[in-house]
Amino acid sequence: MGYVCFCTLNISDRLIFCHPVNGYRIMHHTGIEKVLYGVEDLNAAKKFWRDFGLSCVAEKDDLAVFSVKNGATIEVRPYGDPSLPPAACSETKSTVREVTFGVRSNEDLLALKEKLASLGEVTVDDAGVIHAFDPLGFGMAFRVASCETIETAKIEANVPGNTQRLNQRGQKFHKASPLIMSHIVYMTDDLETQKDFYADFLGFKLTDSYPGRGYFLRCADANNHHNVFLLDPGKGQRGFHHLAFELGSIHELFGGGNNMTRNGWETMIGPGRHPVSSCYFWYFKNPCGGAAEYDFDSDVVDDNWKPQEWESTPENFAEWCLGEGMGASLLPSTIQQG
Ligand SMILES: [Fe+2]
Protein backbone atom coordinates (compact mmCIF):
# COMPACT_ATOMS: atom_id res chain seq x y z
CA MET A 1 0.00 0.00 0.00
CA GLY A 2 1.47 3.36 -0.98
CA TYR A 3 1.33 6.29 1.37
CA VAL A 4 2.11 9.91 0.75
CA CYS A 5 2.63 12.14 3.74
CA PHE A 6 0.97 15.52 3.35
CA CYS A 7 3.58 17.02 5.63
CA THR A 8 5.85 16.91 2.60
CA LEU A 9 3.63 19.68 1.26
CA ASN A 10 4.30 23.24 2.24
CA ILE A 11 2.08 23.19 5.30
CA SER A 12 2.95 26.75 6.20
CA ASP A 13 0.87 27.77 3.17
CA ARG A 14 -2.44 27.68 5.01
CA LEU A 15 -4.33 28.92 1.96
CA ILE A 16 -4.77 25.32 0.81
CA PHE A 17 -7.14 24.74 3.72
CA CYS A 18 -8.93 28.07 3.62
CA HIS A 19 -11.63 27.07 1.20
CA PRO A 20 -14.28 25.52 3.47
CA VAL A 21 -16.70 22.93 2.20
CA ASN A 22 -17.87 25.33 -0.54
CA GLY A 23 -17.75 23.63 -3.89
CA TYR A 24 -17.72 20.20 -2.28
CA ARG A 25 -20.41 17.99 -0.90
CA ILE A 26 -21.01 18.59 2.84
CA MET A 27 -19.32 15.79 4.72
CA HIS A 28 -21.30 13.46 6.94
CA HIS A 29 -18.66 11.83 9.11
CA THR A 30 -20.03 10.01 12.11
CA GLY A 31 -17.23 9.22 14.57
CA ILE A 32 -14.32 6.89 15.28
CA GLU A 33 -14.72 3.35 13.92
CA LYS A 34 -11.25 1.90 14.29
CA VAL A 35 -7.82 2.76 15.70
CA LEU A 36 -4.69 0.98 14.47
CA TYR A 37 -1.58 0.77 16.66
CA GLY A 38 1.96 -0.37 15.98
CA VAL A 39 3.39 -1.70 19.25
CA GLU A 40 6.70 -2.85 20.67
CA ASP A 41 5.24 -5.49 23.02
CA LEU A 42 2.26 -7.25 21.50
CA ASN A 43 1.58 -9.42 24.57
CA ALA A 44 1.49 -6.39 26.85
CA ALA A 45 -0.83 -4.68 24.38
CA LYS A 46 -3.20 -7.65 24.40
CA LYS A 47 -3.28 -7.82 28.18
CA PHE A 48 -3.87 -4.07 28.45
CA TRP A 49 -6.93 -4.08 26.20
CA ARG A 50 -8.38 -7.19 27.84
CA ASP A 51 -7.97 -5.65 31.28
CA PHE A 52 -9.42 -2.39 29.96
CA GLY A 53 -12.61 -4.31 29.17
CA LEU A 54 -12.50 -4.80 25.40
CA SER A 55 -13.51 -8.08 23.71
CA CYS A 56 -10.88 -9.86 21.65
CA VAL A 57 -12.47 -10.64 18.27
CA ALA A 58 -9.37 -11.82 16.37
CA GLU A 59 -5.94 -12.97 17.45
CA LYS A 60 -2.86 -14.25 15.60
CA ASP A 61 0.85 -14.24 16.35
CA ASP A 62 1.28 -10.82 14.75
CA LEU A 63 -2.15 -9.26 15.20
CA ALA A 64 -4.95 -8.75 17.67
CA VAL A 65 -8.29 -7.02 17.24
CA PHE A 66 -10.46 -5.84 20.12
CA SER A 67 -13.97 -4.47 20.09
CA VAL A 68 -16.02 -2.08 22.17
CA LYS A 69 -19.77 -2.51 22.56
CA ASN A 70 -20.81 -0.60 19.42
CA GLY A 71 -18.48 -2.66 17.23
CA ALA A 72 -15.65 -0.12 16.90
CA THR A 73 -12.27 -1.83 17.01
CA ILE A 74 -8.70 -1.51 18.18
CA GLU A 75 -6.14 -3.31 16.03
CA VAL A 76 -2.60 -3.89 17.30
CA ARG A 77 0.35 -5.07 15.20
CA PRO A 78 4.11 -5.22 15.81
CA TYR A 79 5.62 -1.81 15.16
CA GLY A 80 7.81 -3.16 12.34
CA ASP A 81 4.87 -4.61 10.37
CA PRO A 82 5.39 -3.30 6.81
CA SER A 83 1.64 -2.99 6.27
CA LEU A 84 1.40 -0.25 8.89
CA PRO A 85 1.27 3.37 7.79
CA PRO A 86 4.28 5.33 9.06
CA ALA A 87 3.95 7.09 12.39
CA ALA A 88 3.75 10.89 12.53
CA CYS A 89 6.49 10.85 15.13
CA SER A 90 9.23 8.23 14.97
CA GLU A 91 10.54 8.84 18.49
CA THR A 92 8.34 6.17 20.06
CA LYS A 93 7.97 2.63 18.75
CA SER A 94 4.49 2.13 20.21
CA THR A 95 1.89 4.57 18.97
CA VAL A 96 -1.24 5.06 16.89
CA ARG A 97 -0.68 4.67 13.16
CA GLU A 98 -4.14 5.37 11.79
CA VAL A 99 -7.66 6.37 12.85
CA THR A 100 -10.66 5.35 10.78
CA PHE A 101 -13.70 7.60 10.79
CA GLY A 102 -17.13 6.55 9.57
CA VAL A 103 -19.13 8.43 6.92
CA ARG A 104 -22.83 8.08 6.14
CA SER A 105 -22.73 6.77 2.58
CA ASN A 106 -20.70 5.70 -0.42
CA GLU A 107 -21.40 9.11 -1.92
CA ASP A 108 -19.73 10.73 1.11
CA LEU A 109 -16.78 8.39 0.70
CA LEU A 110 -16.34 9.17 -2.99
CA ALA A 111 -16.62 12.90 -2.35
CA LEU A 112 -14.07 12.65 0.43
CA LYS A 113 -11.70 10.67 -1.76
CA GLU A 114 -11.89 13.35 -4.46
CA LYS A 115 -11.39 16.09 -1.91
CA LEU A 116 -8.38 14.45 -0.25
CA ALA A 117 -6.90 13.61 -3.64
CA SER A 118 -6.73 17.35 -4.33
CA LEU A 119 -4.02 17.49 -1.65
CA GLY A 120 -2.06 14.34 -2.42
CA GLU A 121 -2.25 10.60 -2.96
CA VAL A 122 -5.16 8.69 -1.49
CA THR A 123 -5.20 4.91 -1.48
CA VAL A 124 -8.22 2.61 -1.44
CA ASP A 125 -7.94 -0.89 0.01
CA ASP A 126 -9.80 -4.04 -1.00
CA ALA A 127 -12.61 -3.26 1.48
CA GLY A 128 -13.16 0.17 -0.06
CA VAL A 129 -11.62 2.05 2.88
CA ILE A 130 -9.76 5.19 1.83
CA HIS A 131 -6.42 5.98 3.46
CA ALA A 132 -4.55 9.28 3.65
CA PHE A 133 -2.65 11.47 6.12
CA ASP A 134 -3.47 14.72 7.79
CA PRO A 135 -1.08 17.66 7.23
CA LEU A 136 1.15 16.67 10.13
CA GLY A 137 1.47 13.06 9.01
CA PHE A 138 -1.12 11.36 11.24
CA GLY A 139 -2.67 8.45 9.37
CA MET A 140 -6.39 8.70 8.74
CA ALA A 141 -8.92 6.51 6.97
CA PHE A 142 -12.60 6.73 6.10
CA ARG A 143 -15.19 4.03 5.51
CA VAL A 144 -18.95 3.80 5.37
CA ALA A 145 -19.95 3.68 9.02
CA SER A 146 -20.67 0.23 10.40
CA CYS A 147 -20.75 0.78 14.16
CA GLU A 148 -24.06 0.15 15.85
CA THR A 149 -26.17 2.59 17.81
CA ILE A 150 -25.81 1.84 21.51
CA GLU A 151 -28.89 1.36 23.69
CA THR A 152 -28.30 1.42 27.42
CA ALA A 153 -30.51 1.10 30.46
CA LYS A 154 -31.64 4.17 32.38
CA ILE A 155 -29.24 5.06 35.15
CA GLU A 156 -30.86 4.49 38.51
CA ALA A 157 -29.70 7.09 41.00
CA ASN A 158 -31.49 8.03 44.18
CA VAL A 159 -31.96 11.74 44.83
CA PRO A 160 -34.17 13.01 47.65
CA GLY A 161 -37.56 13.55 46.03
CA ASN A 162 -36.70 11.26 43.13
CA THR A 163 -36.24 7.66 44.23
CA GLN A 164 -35.36 5.44 41.31
CA ARG A 165 -34.00 2.48 43.22
CA LEU A 166 -36.21 1.37 46.13
CA ASN A 167 -35.12 -1.57 48.27
CA GLN A 168 -32.35 -2.25 45.80
CA ARG A 169 -28.62 -1.89 46.33
CA GLY A 170 -26.54 0.19 43.93
CA GLN A 171 -24.54 -1.42 41.14
CA LYS A 172 -20.94 -2.47 41.59
CA PHE A 173 -18.56 -3.27 38.73
CA HIS A 174 -15.58 -5.60 38.84
CA LYS A 175 -14.35 -4.23 35.50
CA ALA A 176 -15.48 -1.90 32.71
CA SER A 177 -17.04 -2.68 29.33
CA PRO A 178 -16.50 0.43 27.17
CA LEU A 179 -19.44 1.36 24.94
CA ILE A 180 -17.83 3.51 22.26
CA MET A 181 -14.54 5.16 21.33
CA SER A 182 -15.33 8.82 21.58
CA HIS A 183 -12.19 10.82 20.87
CA ILE A 184 -8.52 10.83 19.99
CA VAL A 185 -6.02 13.48 21.07
CA TYR A 186 -2.93 14.59 19.19
CA MET A 187 -0.11 16.79 20.37
CA THR A 188 0.69 19.18 17.57
CA ASP A 189 3.48 21.59 16.77
CA ASP A 190 1.42 23.31 14.06
CA LEU A 191 -1.95 23.79 15.72
CA GLU A 192 -3.57 26.23 13.33
CA THR A 193 -2.69 24.28 10.18
CA GLN A 194 -4.03 21.07 11.65
CA LYS A 195 -7.18 22.75 12.98
CA ASP A 196 -7.84 24.35 9.57
CA PHE A 197 -7.50 20.94 7.95
CA TYR A 198 -10.02 19.22 10.22
CA ALA A 199 -12.44 22.14 10.52
CA ASP A 200 -12.29 23.95 7.18
CA PHE A 201 -11.19 21.21 4.84
CA LEU A 202 -12.84 18.10 6.30
CA GLY A 203 -15.83 19.87 7.83
CA PHE A 204 -15.39 18.84 11.48
CA LYS A 205 -17.22 21.21 13.85
CA LEU A 206 -15.55 23.24 16.57
CA THR A 207 -17.18 22.64 19.96
CA ASP A 208 -14.80 24.38 22.40
CA SER A 209 -11.27 25.75 22.44
CA TYR A 210 -8.28 26.92 24.39
CA PRO A 211 -7.41 29.65 21.86
CA GLY A 212 -3.89 29.19 20.62
CA ARG A 213 -3.45 26.01 22.68
CA GLY A 214 -6.16 23.54 21.79
CA TYR A 215 -9.25 22.84 19.68
CA PHE A 216 -12.07 20.37 20.36
CA LEU A 217 -13.69 19.14 17.12
CA ARG A 218 -16.49 16.70 16.39
CA CYS A 219 -17.38 14.84 13.24
CA ALA A 220 -20.14 16.69 11.37
CA ASP A 221 -22.83 14.09 12.11
CA ALA A 222 -21.61 13.05 15.55
CA ASN A 223 -23.02 14.25 18.84
CA ASN A 224 -19.95 13.56 20.93
CA HIS A 225 -18.51 16.73 22.44
CA HIS A 226 -15.35 15.98 20.51
CA ASN A 227 -13.94 13.22 18.34
CA VAL A 228 -10.59 14.93 17.84
CA PHE A 229 -8.74 17.22 20.25
CA LEU A 230 -5.67 19.02 18.95
CA LEU A 231 -3.36 20.17 21.71
CA ASP A 232 -0.25 22.30 21.43
CA PRO A 233 1.72 21.63 24.63
CA GLY A 234 4.01 24.52 23.67
CA LYS A 235 7.16 22.38 23.54
CA GLY A 236 7.30 21.55 19.84
CA GLN A 237 5.86 18.09 20.45
CA ARG A 238 4.08 16.09 17.76
CA GLY A 239 2.48 12.75 18.52
CA PHE A 240 -0.43 10.72 19.79
CA HIS A 241 -1.60 11.58 23.31
CA HIS A 242 -4.64 9.46 24.21
CA LEU A 243 -7.77 7.65 23.08
CA ALA A 244 -11.02 7.93 25.05
CA PHE A 245 -13.81 5.44 25.72
CA GLU A 246 -17.28 6.15 27.10
CA LEU A 247 -18.71 4.07 29.94
CA GLY A 248 -22.25 3.56 31.22
CA SER A 249 -21.99 4.93 34.75
CA ILE A 250 -19.72 6.51 37.33
CA HIS A 251 -19.79 3.18 39.17
CA GLU A 252 -18.38 1.47 36.08
CA LEU A 253 -15.66 4.12 35.85
CA PHE A 254 -14.55 3.39 39.41
CA GLY A 255 -14.88 -0.37 38.92
CA GLY A 256 -12.92 -0.25 35.67
CA GLY A 257 -10.25 1.99 37.12
CA ASN A 258 -9.85 -0.20 40.19
CA ASN A 259 -9.57 -3.29 37.99
CA MET A 260 -6.82 -1.67 35.90
CA THR A 261 -4.98 -0.71 39.07
CA ARG A 262 -5.29 -4.24 40.51
CA ASN A 263 -3.77 -5.54 37.29
CA GLY A 264 -0.76 -3.30 37.68
CA TRP A 265 -1.54 -0.63 35.08
CA GLU A 266 -0.36 2.82 36.03
CA THR A 267 -2.69 5.79 36.25
CA MET A 268 -1.68 8.78 34.16
CA ILE A 269 -4.21 10.98 35.91
CA GLY A 270 -7.53 10.41 37.60
CA PRO A 271 -10.13 9.81 38.61
CA GLY A 272 -11.32 13.36 38.16
CA ARG A 273 -13.66 15.60 36.19
CA HIS A 274 -13.07 17.83 33.16
CA PRO A 275 -14.84 21.21 33.09
CA VAL A 276 -14.64 21.13 29.28
CA SER A 277 -17.01 18.36 28.11
CA SER A 278 -18.15 17.84 31.75
CA CYS A 279 -17.08 14.20 31.96
CA TYR A 280 -15.63 12.16 34.77
CA PHE A 281 -12.33 10.63 33.65
CA TRP A 282 -9.58 8.18 34.54
CA TYR A 283 -6.50 7.85 32.29
CA PHE A 284 -4.14 4.87 32.21
CA LYS A 285 -0.69 4.72 30.62
CA ASN A 286 -0.87 2.35 27.67
CA PRO A 287 1.91 0.05 26.41
CA CYS A 288 0.50 0.73 22.94
CA GLY A 289 1.55 4.37 23.36
CA GLY A 290 0.03 7.39 25.07
CA ALA A 291 -2.90 6.74 27.36
CA ALA A 292 -6.38 5.23 27.30
CA GLU A 293 -9.12 7.22 29.04
CA TYR A 294 -12.32 6.04 30.65
CA ASP A 295 -15.03 8.71 30.41
CA PHE A 296 -18.52 8.98 31.83
CA ASP A 297 -21.26 11.61 31.39
CA SER A 298 -19.64 13.63 28.59
CA ASP A 299 -21.60 16.48 27.04
CA VAL A 300 -23.70 15.47 24.04
CA VAL A 301 -24.06 18.27 21.50
CA ASP A 302 -25.66 19.20 18.19
CA ASP A 303 -25.63 22.30 16.02
CA ASN A 304 -27.33 24.34 18.77
CA TRP A 305 -24.26 23.94 21.00
CA LYS A 306 -22.46 27.20 21.68
CA PRO A 307 -18.65 26.81 21.57
CA GLN A 308 -16.81 28.49 24.39
CA GLU A 309 -13.27 29.83 24.55
CA TRP A 310 -11.57 28.58 27.70
CA GLU A 311 -8.51 29.96 29.37
CA SER A 312 -5.75 27.37 29.38
CA THR A 313 -5.39 26.81 33.13
CA PRO A 314 -5.02 23.68 35.27
CA GLU A 315 -8.46 24.40 36.77
CA ASN A 316 -10.01 24.29 33.29
CA PHE A 317 -8.33 20.96 32.58
CA ALA A 318 -9.57 19.29 35.74
CA GLU A 319 -12.19 20.65 38.10
CA TRP A 320 -10.74 18.11 40.53
CA CYS A 321 -8.62 15.00 40.12
CA LEU A 322 -6.28 12.57 41.76
CA GLY A 323 -2.81 12.40 40.32
CA GLU A 324 -2.02 8.74 40.73
CA GLY A 325 -5.30 6.90 40.99
CA MET A 326 -6.79 5.88 44.29
CA GLY A 327 -3.79 3.85 45.40
CA ALA A 328 -3.51 0.12 44.75
CA SER A 329 -2.64 -0.51 48.39
CA LEU A 330 -6.02 0.90 49.42
CA LEU A 331 -8.13 -1.21 47.09
CA PRO A 332 -10.42 -3.60 49.01
CA SER A 333 -9.25 -6.66 47.07
CA THR A 334 -5.63 -5.82 47.80
CA ILE A 335 -6.41 -5.42 51.48
CA GLN A 336 -8.22 -8.77 51.51
CA GLN A 337 -5.27 -10.42 49.88
CA GLY A 338 -3.08 -9.01 52.58
FE1 LIG B 1 -9.73 12.92 26.55
Side-chain angles (χ1 to χ4, degrees):
M1 183 181 297
Y3 289 94
V4 168
C5 179
F6 291 154
C7 60
T8 60
L9 301 174
N10 179 11
I11 60 174
S12 63
D13 179 5
R14 293 179 51 210
L15 286 176
I16 62 172
F17 302 135
C18 290
H19 48 83
V21 286
N22 296 339
Y24 290 96
R25 178 190 174 93
I26 300 292
M27 290 301 154
H28 297 284
H29 12 66
T30 56
I32 296 175
E33 299 253 323
K34 175 183 171 182
V35 176
L36 174 62
Y37 287 83
V39 301
E40 190 171 11
D41 186 339
L42 194 59
N43 287 329
K46 290 176 183 176
K47 175 166 171 45
F48 181 89
W49 290 119
R50 283 195 172 94
D51 290 342
F52 200 73
L54 273 55
S55 301
C56 185
V57 294
E59 185 172 7
K60 299 179 182 174
D61 289 344
D62 58 351
L63 164 77
V65 181
F66 296 88
S67 173
V68 295
K69 290 290 184 184
N70 76 341
T73 54
I74 297 286
E75 184 172 316
V76 288
R77 291 174 178 268
Y79 74 93
D81 186 326
S83 74
L84 288 171
C89 171
S90 58
E91 290 176 9
T92 54
K93 290 177 179 174
S94 299
T95 191
V96 163
R97 297 296 189 92
E98 183 178 77
V99 178
T100 302
F101 297 97
V103 294
R104 289 271 179 227
S105 66
N106 262 316
E107 288 72 27
D108 291 319
L109 205 56
L110 289 171
L112 201 49
K113 180 187 168 196
E114 179 188 345
K115 199 165 161 50
L116 287 164
S118 70
L119 297 182
E121 184 180 340
V122 176
T123 59
V124 183
D125 67 23
D126 293 343
V129 181
I130 64 175
H131 302 266
F133 293 87
D134 82 1
L136 271 66
F138 291 101
M140 62 191 323
F142 293 90
R143 73 182 189 198
V144 175
S146 61
C147 289
E148 299 168 6
T149 301
I150 284 289
E151 291 184 13
T152 50
K154 185 178 177 183
I155 292 177
E156 296 176 335
N158 283 338
V159 179
N162 184 6
T163 299
Q164 296 179 25
R165 203 184 67 245
L166 179 64
N167 300 325
Q168 186 184 344
R169 301 183 198 280
Q171 271 189 300
K172 292 186 178 66
F173 288 80
H174 183 68
K175 68 185 296 186
S177 299
L179 300 169
I180 66 166
M181 283 190 276
S182 52
H183 65 259
I184 189 162
V185 178
Y186 294 128
M187 295 180 291
T188 175
D189 53 353
D190 193 347
L191 181 63
E192 299 301 327
T193 295
Q194 206 175 12
K195 187 266 282 182
D196 287 352
F197 174 78
Y198 283 92
D200 296 341
F201 190 78
L202 290 179
F204 281 50
K205 295 175 178 174
L206 183 74
T207 51
D208 275 315
S209 63
Y210 299 113
R213 292 300 299 273
Y215 295 102
F216 297 85
L217 299 145
R218 68 180 170 93
C219 291
D221 280 17
N223 298 113
N224 311 113
H225 176 272
H226 55 289
N227 301 112
V228 172
F229 176 49
L230 306 174
L231 169 68
D232 180 359
K235 299 175 181 173
Q237 293 163 286
R238 178 184 299 192
F240 164 68
H241 191 273
H242 72 265
L243 181 65
F245 300 76
E246 297 287 329
L247 302 180
S249 73
I250 188 67
H251 314 304
E252 187 178 2
L253 185 139
F254 283 118
N258 285 344
N259 180 59
M260 292 295 282
T261 306
R262 274 194 302 270
N263 278 281
W265 301 110
E266 191 179 350
T267 290
M268 174 183 276
I269 187 168
R273 188 179 185 227
H274 288 308
V276 183
S277 81
S278 307
C279 68
Y280 297 91
F281 65 77
W282 197 336
Y283 297 72
F284 285 89
K285 296 177 184 176
N286 188 343
C288 298
E293 175 187 9
Y294 286 135
D295 275 348
F296 169 65
D297 197 22
S298 299
D299 292 328
V300 174
V301 307
D302 64 14
D303 289 347
N304 293 315
W305 175 260
K306 293 186 170 42
Q308 182 176 331
E309 293 185 349
W310 296 74
E311 194 179 344
S312 178
T313 63
E315 294 76 19
N316 284 340
F317 169 75
E319 175 190 46
W320 62 270
C321 67
L322 300 180
E324 299 172 345
M326 296 196 294
S329 63
L330 298 177
L331 288 178
S333 61
T334 308
I335 293 170
Q336 287 165 12
Q337 290 164 10

